[in-house]
Amino acid sequence: MQDNINHAKKIVIFGNSASGKSSLAKKLAKQEQLAHLDLDTLAWLPAVSLTSPPQRQRIDVSVAEISVFISQHQDWVIEGCYSDLLTYTLTECSAVIFLNLPIALCIENAKNRPWESHKYESKAAQDANLTMLIDWIAQYENRIDSFSKAAHQQLFDGFAGKKTQYINNQ
């Protein structure tokens, strides 16, 4: 039993919006047969309307959902840009990956991303959000919030286990 715990794959991936977190997580989930949790699916309240700004779910509610996911899966990958939520996963994970790509590359990725049907009702709705997303991505190094490069760097630097940082799409 202890041997299975030591070899469990529990990976946390974080970085700027459009840095490739979801793509890498999906690839690892498929290759390594890992359960996959995209924090976007639990970090936000359901949209009230298309014109209202999104509202964050209460942190304790999101953390409870993360805990349920972790307890239900031996091997998993969790990805997102929410340092305030990721903090709760670090004691459970075996490795972290920081996608620390240049802002220009993240913006290019955002422009080329396929339709994310779990986030948007249509490709047109996703594209309508692109200008806001590009502005958000561009502010990554200057923000001081839970989504900032500084917050991600602090998570990465503070993690004592296996950690990897990527600075390009390769």
Side-chain angles (χ1 to χ4, degrees):
M1 177 82 157
Q2 185 66 28
D3 193 47
N4 287 341
I5 292 171
N6 290 339
H7 290 90
K9 292 182 180 163
K10 300 176 183 205
I11 303 166
V12 171
I13 302 171
F14 52 90
N16 196 0
S17 293
S19 61
K21 299 177 303 293
S22 295
S23 296
L24 179 57
K26 288 174 189 174
K27 181 178 178 179
L28 288 173
K30 184 175 181 178
Q31 285 178 344
E32 304 292 330
Q33 299 177 345
L34 308 175
H36 172 212
L37 177 60
D38 177 348
L39 293 181
D40 283 342
T41 63
L42 56 82
W44 301 96
L45 292 169
V48 178
S49 74
L50 293 177
T51 58
S52 65
Q55 299 291 318
R56 281 287 301 271
Q57 176 66 269
R58 286 190 357 235
I59 299 287
D60 63 316
V61 173
S62 295
V63 168
E65 291 181 43
I66 292 167
S67 295
V68 168
F69 175 83
I70 287 172
S71 71
Q72 291 177 344
H73 304 283
Q74 179 176 332
D75 298 312
W76 46 259
V77 57
I78 296 175
E79 49 100 354
C81 60
Y82 312 89
S83 295
D84 53 359
L85 298 179
L86 291 166
T87 299
Y88 295 97
T89 68
L90 297 183
T91 58
E92 302 294 330
C93 75
S94 56
V96 299
I97 300 172
F98 179 15
L99 298 181
N100 191 8
L101 277 61
I103 289 172
L105 190 50
C106 292
I107 290 171
E108 193 62 32
N109 289 346
K111 290 177 180 177
N112 295 321
R113 72 175 19 161
W115 174 38
E116 297 175 304
S117 60
H118 65 289
K119 295 179 188 177
Y120 298 96
E121 65 185 33
S122 67
K123 177 76 165 111
Q126 178 174 306
D127 290 346
N129 193 44
L130 186 58
T131 300
M132 185 280 304
L133 180 61
I134 289 171
D135 289 343
W136 176 256
I137 292 167
Q139 298 167 21
Y140 182 60
E141 293 179 351
N142 300 318
R143 289 195 308 265
I144 55 170
D145 57 18
S146 176
F147 312 101
S148 69
K149 180 175 182 175
H152 293 157
Q153 191 68 57
Q154 185 175 12
L155 281 178
F156 185 78
D157 292 345
F159 185 70
K162 181 180 178 188
K163 54 188 174 182
T164 305
Q165 182 172 196
Y166 292 103
I167 57 171
N168 59 46
N169 280 338
Q170 307 309 315

